[in-house]
Amino acid sequence: HKYSHMFMRSRTVQHRRRKLILQYRWGLLPTNKLLSRYKLSNSDNCPLCNQPDGGHHALSACPALSGAVTKRHNDAGSLIVQAIHNGNRAAELVMSGVGMSRRCAVMKGKYRIPKNVLPDDMPDGLKRRIRLRCKPDALMVKTEKNTRHYELIEIKYCRDTDPTHQEHRADRQHDRLMKMISIFDPRADVKLTTIMLGVSGCIYRRTEQKLKGLGIQGAALSGLLKRLHYMAAQHVEEIWNTRFAAIKNTRHYAISTWSKRKRDLHGQPMPDHRKRKKMKQLP
């Protein structure tokens, strides 16, 4: 998509952020997987969770960084829910399960599936369990000719080059909820819409088509795609900084810079001829 590489020509994206995105896309992030190939690390496992390390693991799959990854998901979900709320199908949006800070402002506290939306023949105990356990990112409901149409929305971040794995996970995530609705309301039309976003800001063409189907059109759609792209780029740097800080606080942290390593190794300060001296300013 044309919005997938906007970080390259944007003046608001700093050099460090652009460098991290390019390193992730080319597989050159300095993780243990890469450092072990260059004989700079004794292990190719993640220093935080001891699982196989790599670029995608560092930015999206490490359990030790789940808080930062969840924040990225909530921020993107909040933007999408806000755009749906301002779009052509705003009346069909009944709940949202993402974005703790913005969710209440947009949906006025509707972060669980309403009781009146579920089939009338469904037992109250089952309704209560569904409302407690099943929280899709968003739910849209409309009734036409005595037929209730349910559309569940699930947002996932995935590899830029291979979104199929995350799509399969999203398809199976709400199977039980869709099955229960179909059992107690055979005439209901239940479908799941998965919105896939690349970790480094990749925007897929089918993602644009699905957002159009949710009632987001014209300039609102273009603005949403741009904000999603730049937000993903921002979170690449934030998650990487969080990982670096977490590794630094562990016991087995090894100092990477050569000057600090040499100074600590000998236990002596850096020689004078290695220090940078300030030049005297002429009067």
Side-chain angles (χ1 to χ4, degrees):
H1 196 276
K2 60 181 180 180
Y3 293 150
S4 297
H5 314 289
M6 294 186 65
F7 72 95
M8 288 295 297
R9 57 181 182 272
S10 174
R11 296 181 179 179
T12 60
V13 179
Q14 298 179 358
H15 172 70
R16 171 177 167 79
R17 186 175 301 176
R18 186 180 294 111
K19 176 183 177 181
L20 288 174
I21 295 173
L22 291 176
Q23 285 180 326
Y24 169 78
R25 292 191 173 187
W26 286 91
L28 297 175
L29 277 177
T31 59
N32 279 359
K33 179 180 179 180
L34 184 67
L35 295 177
S36 62
R37 297 178 183 176
Y38 299 151
K39 309 301 181 182
L40 298 176
S41 176
N42 297 329
S43 173
D44 58 353
N45 291 336
C46 176
L48 297 177
C49 63
N50 205 28
Q51 296 181 10
D53 203 0
H56 184 72
H57 174 85
L59 296 181
S60 192
C62 183
L65 305 175
S66 60
V69 174
T70 302
K71 183 179 182 298
R72 177 182 62 188
H73 175 267
N74 287 337
D75 289 347
S78 300
L79 289 179
I80 295 173
V81 171
Q82 179 70 52
I84 296 174
H85 187 265
N86 298 333
N88 301 331
R89 299 179 59 187
E92 303 175 21
L93 187 64
V94 297
M95 65 84 62
S96 171
V98 295
M100 292 298 296
S101 58
R102 303 178 187 178
R103 178 178 62 192
C104 297
V106 175
M107 299 302 299
K108 297 180 181 180
K110 296 180 181 178
Y111 57 92
R112 291 180 181 173
I113 302 176
K115 270 188 177 182
N116 57 353
V117 167
L118 297 172
D120 298 333
D121 296 337
M122 184 178 291
D124 292 338
L126 182 58
K127 287 184 179 180
R128 193 181 308 110
R129 288 194 297 270
I130 287 177
R131 295 183 72 241
L132 290 175
R133 300 178 183 179
C134 300
K135 292 183 180 180
D137 291 337
L139 176 63
M140 304 178 70
V141 181
K142 67 176 179 179
T143 304
E144 290 181 353
K145 298 179 181 180
N146 297 327
T147 301
R148 186 169 286 181
H149 300 270
Y150 296 86
E151 185 169 1
L152 286 76
I153 301 171
E154 190 64 30
I155 304 166
K156 292 288 185 185
Y157 274 91
C158 59
R159 298 178 184 270
D160 291 2
T161 56
D162 186 17
T164 56
H165 177 68
Q166 284 290 73
E167 281 183 331
H168 293 326
R169 286 189 58 194
D171 292 341
R172 298 191 302 267
Q173 188 169 346
H174 300 290
D175 283 345
R176 182 169 182 176
L177 175 59
M178 299 172 67
K179 184 178 180 180
M180 290 295 103
I181 294 176
S182 300
I183 289 175
F184 290 98
D185 190 0
R187 294 185 300 177
D189 177 26
V190 187
K191 71 175 183 178
L192 175 67
T193 299
T194 58
I195 299 176
M196 309 304 298
L197 301 171
V199 169
S200 66
C202 182
I203 304 295
Y204 305 100
R205 296 186 183 275
R206 51 188 168 182
T207 298
E208 181 183 13
Q209 297 300 324
K210 291 179 179 180
L211 291 174
K212 284 183 179 179
L214 296 177
I216 309 172
Q217 304 288 336
L221 178 61
S222 300
L224 174 63
L225 294 177
K226 291 179 182 178
R227 288 194 296 271
L228 290 173
H229 171 77
Y230 288 122
M231 180 178 290
Q234 175 185 349
H235 281 286
V236 167
E237 185 178 9
E238 290 182 1
I239 295 175
W240 183 259
N241 292 340
T242 304
R243 169 189 165 95
F244 182 79
I247 295 175
K248 189 174 181 180
N249 291 332
T250 58
R251 297 180 180 178
H252 304 289
Y253 172 71
I255 300 176
S256 58
T257 58
W258 171 250
S259 60
K260 290 184 179 180
R261 187 185 310 162
K262 190 163 94 173
R263 183 169 66 245
D264 294 343
L265 181 63
H266 297 285
Q268 299 176 357
M270 189 176 294
D272 293 337
H273 70 277
R274 302 283 295 180
K275 295 181 180 178
R276 182 177 298 177
K277 297 182 179 180
K278 294 183 179 180
M279 297 181 63
K280 296 182 179 180
Q281 297 181 358
L282 296 176

